[in-house]
Amino acid sequence: MPANRFNGFTDYGVGIGLRVPHYQHILSRKPVVDWFEIISENYMIDGGRPLQVLDQILDQYRVVQHGVSMYFGSAEKLNREHLRRLKALVKRTKTPWLSDHLCWGSVDGRYTHDLLPMPYTFEAARITAAKIRQVQDCVEVPVAVENVSSYAEFHLSEMTEWEFLNEVAEGADCGILLDVNNIYVSSRNHSFDPYDYVNSVPAERVAQIHIAGHSKYQKYILDTHDHPVIDPVWKLYERALQRVGPTATLLEWDDNIPSFDEVHGEALKATRFLAAAATAALAQAI
Amino acid sequence: MKLVTLQRRMARAVMTPLTRTERMRPRTAAGGSMRAEAATFIKPNDRLTSFERLEIYNRQYWFRLLSSMIEDFAGLQAVLGSERFEQLCYAYLTDCPSRSFTLRNLGSQLTTWLKKHPRWLGAQPVLALDMCRLEWAHIEAFDGPEAPALAPEDLAEPGRPDFRLHLQPHLQLLSLQYPVDDLALAINDSAGDNSAAASNAVGERRKQRRVQAVARMKPRPIFLAVYRLENSVYYRRLQREEYALLAAVRRGLPLERCLVSAFRGSAMPAEDRPAAIEEWFHNLSLLGLFCRQPEDPDLRP
């Protein structure tokens, strides 16, 4: 299960996001890290320090690209300049797969720079799947689509979020980046059972898993990536691994970023769950 | 409702400026009820109304964009003051919403927009505009393209009448009236001191003192090169003639005409000019600011 066509038949372990405050530590200490995830848009530039650091990282580590603004779910056409730069970066990093979100964020050429929620309609699924296919055809690596945290639901919706995810993934024949923290956050905001979601995901399409922390407010939970992972999210992660097998896992920590060692240490808590999943998979095979 | 219609309506609401207390406005831009508008497409739940759910996205949008503007234009914020700068950002981003997939380009229209809307420039409009231009130049220099530096073999026929030089695409040339380069560095230093020891209020007062000191200066021509060297951005003051030379090179004029441009109206004694030219070319070459003709046609002058 872990290596599949949606993650380029790779078998990556536990990674963390490459973030500016950690550049110096990584380049000088060269810590052992299974892989780094980069935010594609941060490196879709013409020159300067970010690209120099990226090249140094690429010399020593495996890197996977994660995008934040392709907006598969926007009704408008794909941004050709964005695609051109993404393809150039794919050639540079040799990422075995890339991911972006199941959301929208731009309309009529105006960008919100946010991950806005989709209405779960068949029209939206068709449009989204078609755009994911276009991106896959252009970049020539597998694309995995990530479920987002959401704070609103639409009257228009015709299905659940997980049914929508499956509809899109089938229609696009793409992979899934399963964010178990986002499932937890949305389940609390929209009062559904997160295990219904995890149990419904097509296991064979899961290319990667995200874990993260969030912030709890009085009436809702916000996906802030500024805390350690909480126990209920680890339990959801454990269940996800039972279904999909040991899968490349990444901890996201984007705000109030602590030291590299703290972030990496938090991420490595996943190894216990991955080992258990690997043992279970082996026992099943025997 | 079609997907595109829903997205247009939601984007319109999300991009509506917040109130002074950072809440979603009760009225839409067209004067209708925002509560009614939110209820037409967003479901309420047992804890939040449709309006409150939409408001989460409205606030996130503005917090993210304002934060990006503050990061990119900290000097302009110091010159104008935080409150005026925030109101400027609301007005600018309402007129010029982002049309790029990256926040890096959020301020790309700000200088042009400010020239058309000078009322936002405050009591020191020339100083504010100079700072804005410097801060955008810094962004362009930070991650702009870099072409291979000019090598001696590229200078086979410098005496040819149509011989042209090319400047690094990341090099930005500015003609200013206030020493905003020094001011920007001082403001950055204040921010550093602030995080280390002093309170926000102390840091703000220190910034304001520095801004006022520059604002009291008499405007005078300042010529500046903003460029990247070994992945750091530098500011370098230029002589008027050196600036004119580089501006002519950037316009793509033959070297002969660039040299004529450099000394048009110059008070520099004729006997000093050969040594000055030699020094400029020596320094600019050391910094790698002359390059081969960029291959990308978009980068050519």
Side-chain angles (χ1 to χ4, degrees):
Chain A
M1 188 73 73
N4 60 36
R5 67 187 173 102
F6 300 109
N7 55 27
F9 299 100
T10 56
D11 193 6
Y12 286 13
V14 178
I16 60 171
L18 181 65
R19 300 292 179 263
V20 175
H22 295 156
Y23 279 1
Q24 187 58 36
H25 179 98
I26 297 164
L27 295 177
S28 60
R29 307 267 186 96
K30 299 180 176 51
V32 176
V33 182
D34 287 351
W35 58 288
F36 284 108
E37 185 183 78
I38 61 165
I39 302 296
S40 300
E41 285 79 358
N42 291 349
Y43 302 92
M44 285 156 59
I45 50 177
D46 293 312
R49 183 167 183 249
L51 286 178
Q52 189 210 28
V53 171
L54 176 61
D55 287 342
Q56 288 176 271
I57 296 288
L58 285 167
D59 280 345
Q60 299 174 54
Y61 296 98
R62 300 184 291 194
V63 165
V64 175
Q65 285 181 223
H66 179 55
V68 292
S69 59
M70 187 56 80
Y71 297 143
F72 296 132
S74 285
E76 65 186 6
K77 288 180 182 169
L78 290 167
N79 178 329
R80 306 309 297 183
E81 172 64 6
H82 188 172
L83 258 185
R84 185 183 71 80
R85 287 181 178 265
L86 182 65
K87 190 177 170 97
L89 188 63
V90 165
K91 282 187 181 161
R92 189 177 200 126
T93 64
K94 298 180 177 58
T95 184
W97 76 95
L98 66 81
S99 58
D100 206 316
H101 299 84
L102 184 54
C103 72
W104 69 281
S106 60
V107 65
D108 300 323
R110 291 175 300 151
Y111 282 73
T112 66
H113 301 284
D114 201 354
L115 309 174
L116 297 176
M118 296 297 299
Y120 307 132
T121 66
F122 289 100
E123 183 212 9
R126 185 173 40 77
I127 290 171
T128 307
K131 290 176 72 176
I132 295 171
R133 278 186 182 272
Q134 285 175 40
V135 174
Q136 285 190 138
D137 290 348
C138 175
V139 298
E140 300 178 291
V141 293
V143 170
V145 64
E146 177 184 0
N147 56 297
V148 298
S149 289
S150 64
Y151 318 105
E153 300 163 287
F154 298 101
H155 294 299
L156 274 183
S157 289
E158 300 164 324
M159 59 189 102
T160 63
E161 184 185 336
W162 51 95
E163 287 167 343
F164 182 75
L165 174 62
N166 293 355
E167 186 79 14
V168 169
E170 283 290 323
D173 191 23
C174 70
I176 291 172
L177 194 178
L178 193 66
D179 190 316
V180 289
N181 176 61
N182 286 348
I183 291 175
Y184 179 81
V185 169
S186 293
S187 76
R188 297 295 298 270
N189 289 337
H190 308 315
S191 305
F192 65 77
D193 183 344
Y195 288 88
D196 285 346
Y197 198 133
V198 170
N199 291 335
S200 302
V201 168
E204 71 282 2
R205 288 190 181 275
V206 176
Q208 181 190 335
I209 296 179
H210 267 175
I211 49 176
H214 55 252
S215 297
K216 197 172 174 187
Y217 293 86
Q218 196 179 356
K219 293 183 178 179
Y220 60 93
I221 299 182
L222 211 53
D223 181 34
T224 46
H225 298 179
D226 59 354
H227 285 86
V229 181
I230 63 168
D231 280 345
V233 172
W234 282 122
K235 288 195 169 67
L236 209 52
Y237 173 64
E238 185 175 28
R239 171 61 191 147
L241 289 182
Q242 285 166 4
R243 288 208 60 233
V244 306
T247 300
T249 298
L250 182 118
L251 171 74
E252 294 183 293
W253 202 316
D254 297 314
D255 213 351
N256 299 327
I257 301 175
S259 71
F260 174 88
D261 288 334
E262 191 173 335
V263 173
H264 196 207
E266 182 67 15
L268 289 175
K269 290 178 187 171
T271 50
R272 179 165 64 89
F273 300 98
L274 284 168
T279 306
L282 188 63
Q284 201 173 21
I286 295 168
Chain B
M1 194 189 299
K2 301 285 269 183
L3 180 65
V4 68
T5 309
L6 172 76
Q7 293 183 344
R8 281 185 180 137
R9 289 177 74 164
M10 183 158 173
R12 204 175 299 135
V14 164
M15 294 167 133
T16 299
L18 301 174
T19 65
R20 285 196 176 268
T21 54
E22 299 184 332
R23 311 304 307 195
M24 189 155 76
R25 290 188 179 179
R27 315 302 303 180
T28 65
S33 159
M34 190 66 92
R35 286 189 185 279
E37 173 66 2
T40 58
F41 56 90
I42 289 183
K43 283 184 189 175
N45 69 6
D46 55 351
R47 287 154 285 160
L48 296 166
T49 64
S50 304
F51 179 92
E52 288 167 331
R53 296 182 111 182
L54 185 56
E55 185 182 47
I56 295 171
Y57 290 102
N58 183 213
R59 297 181 80 199
Q60 280 193 162
Y61 171 77
W62 283 106
F63 293 166
R64 178 174 291 113
L65 266 58
L66 291 173
S67 159
S68 176
M69 291 292 285
I70 289 167
E71 195 175 318
D72 290 349
F73 296 97
L76 181 61
Q77 184 194 32
V79 170
L80 296 178
S82 295
E83 196 171 330
R84 188 178 191 91
F85 178 76
E86 187 175 301
Q87 294 310 310
L88 175 157
C89 290
Y90 275 121
Y92 165 66
L93 293 169
T94 300
D95 279 2
C96 306
S98 172
R99 292 196 171 271
S100 167
F101 59 85
T102 165
L103 281 169
R104 181 260 187 216
N105 295 329
L106 198 58
S108 62
Q109 307 298 313
L110 187 56
T111 300
T112 308
W113 183 86
L114 281 170
K115 285 178 183 168
K116 286 185 192 160
H117 302 86
R119 72 189 180 93
W120 292 105
L121 287 167
Q124 296 290 335
V126 178
L127 170 60
L129 201 58
D130 274 1
M131 182 59 89
C132 182
R133 292 169 60 218
L134 174 71
E135 293 188 303
W136 181 249
H138 187 112
I139 290 170
E140 293 276 63
F142 176 74
D143 60 10
E146 181 166 0
L150 204 63
E153 58 268 27
D154 300 318
L155 295 168
E157 296 177 274
R160 234 175 46 199
D162 63 343
F163 179 78
R164 285 171 167 80
L165 284 167
H166 303 280
L167 298 178
Q168 283 293 354
H170 59 73
L171 169 66
Q172 310 294 311
L173 298 170
L174 296 175
S175 166
L176 306 164
Q177 297 193 51
Y178 285 93
V180 286
D181 48 347
D182 291 340
L183 180 57
L185 295 172
I187 287 168
N188 277 343
D189 284 349
S190 299
D193 294 349
N194 181 27
S195 60
S199 70
N200 273 340
V202 171
E204 280 304 311
R205 278 201 296 277
R206 190 175 296 143
K207 273 189 210 172
Q208 282 313 309
R209 276 201 300 274
R210 293 183 195 276
V211 169
Q212 290 312 318
V214 173
R216 281 193 294 273
M217 291 177 178
K218 196 175 164 193
R220 63 185 169 90
I222 292 172
F223 301 98
L224 197 69
V226 182
Y227 60 95
R228 190 171 72 236
L229 182 66
E230 294 176 351
N231 293 315
S232 292
V233 175
Y234 292 90
Y235 306 152
R236 180 167 175 269
R237 295 275 179 100
L238 305 171
Q239 286 178 268
R240 190 193 73 80
E241 292 81 0
E242 188 181 13
Y243 172 85
L245 172 78
L246 291 176
V249 171
R250 170 72 23 107
R251 289 201 300 277
L253 297 181
L255 183 56
E256 257 185 32
R257 288 181 57 195
C258 294
L259 290 167
V260 172
S261 286
F263 294 104
R264 190 171 292 134
S266 168
M268 187 185 286
E271 63 271 23
D272 292 347
R273 294 179 184 182
I277 293 170
E278 190 179 336
E279 188 187 339
W280 300 334
F281 276 84
H282 176 73
N283 289 337
L284 294 164
S285 300
L286 274 182
L287 297 172
L289 294 179
F290 292 120
C291 65
R292 292 181 184 166
Q293 182 166 13
E295 286 173 17
D296 185 343
D298 292 344
L299 304 178
R300 290 181 194 157

